Amino acid sequence: MAPRSGRVITAALGAALCLWIWSLAGVLFVIRWTSLERPALVQPRPFVRGEMRVGVDASYPPFAVATSDDLWGLDIDLARALGDHLRTPVRFVNLGFDGLYDALLTEQVDVLISALVVNPAQMDRVAYTRSYFDAGLVLVAPAESDVDTMNNLPGRTLTLELGSEAQGEANRWLRRVLPFDIAPYETPAAALDAVRLGSSDAALVDQISARLYVREHPDWRVRQSVVTHTLFAIAVRADQPRVFAAVNRALDLLEADGTLRTIIERYL
């Protein structure tokens, strides 16, 4: 019986050793497999022509301006940053503003990046990305002032551009609150001059004008309060969901990493 028991023990030890060796081999295989570098999965490109064709009206500084040999502006830098994120070359197609949507819908361009205001009337044919800039009206007052909303205007003087959207908005507020004085000027800059020089309590101007003016007068400390929203967004054909998703996602990333803010502050 002893020899047989020895053979059983030997066989059991051999099986255990064999199992241990196979287990060790399996562990080493998994470690080696997971450490191997593999090529990234190739994602289908949203732009079938291998480039992002951007429709732009390059006659609207500081968003887009055409020079003799190039384009520059906020929208131009934004398009190039999007192209970098999407790893796609960018080609600009300079168009008149009235021809932008026609160029998009007839596939002459892939996207429109041209200070476009979101237009509900276009939404059956066009998809708009999230907004990248708000050009709405802002109330501008000296930093030490307590005028931070339109509700604080009664008994004060408000300057604005004659015949502008700001004048229409001020007239609407006159029907909501106690009277205040309106002093119209020829330009938003002149309206802001009046506030800076102390002849008015506040100015109502679009955010582009406010940013440019404050940029030119860096020593003037102001407070700005948003009154209305005018959202600029990128337009894509509604039948191109992959293009829309790719551009919208890239725009999110540009905001998250601070690139969008850097571009805006470069010009405004």
Side-chain angles (χ1 to χ4, degrees):
M1 295 297 293
R4 183 178 178 185
S5 298
R7 289 196 298 273
V8 171
I9 293 172
T10 300
L13 290 174
L17 179 61
C18 183
L19 179 61
W20 183 83
I21 292 172
W22 277 106
S23 298
L24 179 61
V27 170
L28 292 175
F29 174 78
V30 170
I31 293 174
R32 175 59 179 164
W33 176 258
T34 56
S35 66
L36 289 175
E37 292 187 6
R38 299 176 180 79
L41 292 176
V42 178
Q43 299 294 334
R45 292 186 178 275
F47 302 100
V48 296
R49 292 173 178 81
E51 62 180 1
M52 182 171 71
R53 299 169 303 162
V54 178
V56 59
D57 171 21
S59 64
Y60 185 46
F63 284 83
V65 179
T67 64
S68 58
D69 57 358
D70 200 6
L71 300 173
W72 65 268
L74 193 159
D75 282 340
I76 306 304
D77 286 4
L78 174 58
R80 288 173 174 152
L82 289 170
D84 289 343
H85 263 279
L86 296 169
R87 298 182 181 180
T88 301
V90 175
R91 179 163 64 89
F92 294 99
V93 181
N94 192 4
L95 302 159
F97 188 82
D98 291 342
L100 288 173
Y101 283 107
D102 286 341
L104 178 67
L105 297 172
T106 56
E107 302 184 47
Q108 298 175 52
V109 297
D110 301 300
V111 299
L112 300 178
I113 307 178
S114 194
L116 287 179
V117 178
V118 175
N119 184 353
Q122 293 284 354
M123 287 184 175
D124 58 334
R125 303 181 299 171
V126 171
Y128 292 99
T129 64
R130 44 148 301 167
S131 171
Y132 64 88
F133 186 76
D134 187 350
L137 298 174
V138 290
L139 188 65
V140 182
E144 64 276 10
S145 169
D146 63 351
V147 178
D148 57 359
T149 72
M150 298 291 284
N151 287 310
N152 299 138
L153 285 176
R156 319 240 184 161
T157 299
L158 177 71
T159 54
L160 43 76
E161 182 185 10
L162 178 66
S164 67
E165 180 184 346
Q167 187 163 14
E169 182 67 17
N171 288 333
R172 283 189 287 274
W173 275 94
L174 278 174
R175 296 192 291 268
R176 303 177 192 173
V177 299
L178 294 174
F180 55 88
D181 293 328
I182 294 178
Y185 284 79
E186 289 298 319
T187 65
L192 289 162
D193 278 340
V195 180
R196 183 173 60 86
L197 298 174
S199 60
S200 173
D201 297 294
L204 184 62
V205 298
D206 65 273
Q207 189 158 168
I208 297 171
S209 298
R211 282 175 170 264
L212 289 173
Y213 188 89
V214 172
R215 186 186 185 96
E216 293 174 359
H217 300 85
D219 295 333
W220 185 38
R221 312 307 298 171
V222 301
R223 63 191 309 167
Q224 298 186 42
S225 308
V226 175
V227 177
T228 67
H229 297 282
T230 301
L231 304 179
F232 289 176
I234 299 170
V236 179
R237 290 209 323 274
D239 61 355
Q240 294 292 323
R242 284 177 52 218
V243 173
F244 174 82
V247 172
N248 206 44
R249 173 60 177 161
L251 194 54
D252 282 339
L253 294 174
L254 290 180
E255 181 175 46
D257 67 12
T259 301
L260 179 59
R261 180 175 181 176
T262 298
I263 291 172
I264 291 173
E265 292 181 348
R266 186 177 302 153
Y267 294 98
L268 293 171

